[in-house]
Amino acid sequence: GAVVSQHPSWVICKSGTSVKIECRSLDFQATTMFWYRQFPKQSLMLMATSNEGSKATYEQGVEKDKFLINHASLTLSTLTVTSAHPEDSSFYICSARVRGLAGVGEQYFGPGTRLTVT
Amino acid sequence: GNSVTQMEGPVTLSEEAFLTINCTYTATGYPSLFWYVQYPGEGLQLLLKATKADDKGSNKGFEATYRKETTSFHLEKGSVQVSDSAVYFCALMKTSYDKVIFGPGTSLSVIP
């Protein structure tokens, strides 16, 4: 089946620094990738929708200057958390929509990245 | 707007017990419906889906039927195992090009 990877799986960074998270579709091309944030024992909150070659669409309340999203190719999207603060600590999950799949545009999820800001 | 409601957890069952996790949705038209499972420390995996009314999705012994008249998509399994312990998310998608809307998740613990 379709596989989505994320790197790193976990990261610890100091307050004020930036951290980049990669999301890759390993065996398919993804026209659209999604970035979610999940707080402990809570559901996923969609942060932004990323289409290859165009600017990401951010959900209301998500700071686009703080969470920079780049979707440079059909297999790679990156999320950069700039000037991270402890409140940015969370589990970040990406998903990718299969390109050209007829019918339901199924999404495949990555394993997630645990970010801890100290 | 579109939304998904699930029964609150956590749910604790003994091994081989019958499982039902209720899910209802609010949406216009005929959205596609999904159940995702998240094992501890991992991302989400698609468990099953249904794309039209009266469809039944099934996988790994789990089943859910798309009920338009009650706007429900309840998840069931006849005999749970310890390995089924996870968080289960009900979700909907209006069209193939829409985002997925998740319910709050229901935590399931199965004890031997």
Side-chain angles (χ1 to χ4, degrees), chain A residues 34 36 38 41-44 46 49 59 91 93 97 103-107 109-112 114, chain B residues 32 34 36 38 41-44 46 49 51 89 93 95-100 102-105:
Chain A
F34 302 85
Y36 296 85
Q38 185 180 32
K41 300 187 187 301
Q42 294 189 25
S43 190
L44 281 72
L46 180 65
T49 302
E59 295 297 300
F91 195 50
I93 302 175
R97 176 175 286 152
V104 177
E106 200 166 296
Q107 292 184 34
F109 286 81
R114 174 78 56 196
Chain B
S32 295
F34 307 84
Y36 287 89
Q38 184 178 32
E42 298 184 13
L44 270 67
L46 178 65
K49 68 181 180 185
T51 58
F89 293 93
M93 185 166 66
T95 72
S96 298
Y97 301 97
D98 268 339
K99 59 188 179 185
V100 176
F102 289 92

Side-chain angles (χ1 to χ4, degrees), chain B residues 81-109:
Chain B
Q81 306 300 313
V82 173
S83 56
D84 294 326
S85 298
V87 180
Y88 293 81
F89 293 93
C90 186
L92 71 82
M93 185 166 66
K94 282 294 300 291
T95 72
S96 298
Y97 301 97
D98 268 339
K99 59 188 179 185
V100 176
I101 296 172
F102 289 92
T106 301
S107 175
L108 170 66
S109 293

Side-chain angles (χ1 to χ4, degrees), chain B residues 12-67:
Chain B
T12 302
L13 294 174
S14 297
E15 205 165 20
E16 299 184 1
F18 184 86
L19 168 71
T20 299
I21 300 178
N22 290 334
C23 169
T24 56
Y25 68 91
T26 300
T28 56
Y30 293 85
S32 295
L33 302 175
F34 307 84
W35 277 101
Y36 287 89
V37 58
Q38 184 178 32
Y39 297 102
E42 298 184 13
L44 270 67
Q45 299 176 27
L46 178 65
L47 182 59
L48 53 84
K49 68 181 180 185
T51 58
K52 59 184 187 294
D54 299 325
D55 263 2
K56 176 186 283 188
S58 61
N59 185 25
K60 299 181 181 179
F62 291 90
E63 293 183 340
T65 301
Y66 189 145
R67 300 288 187 199

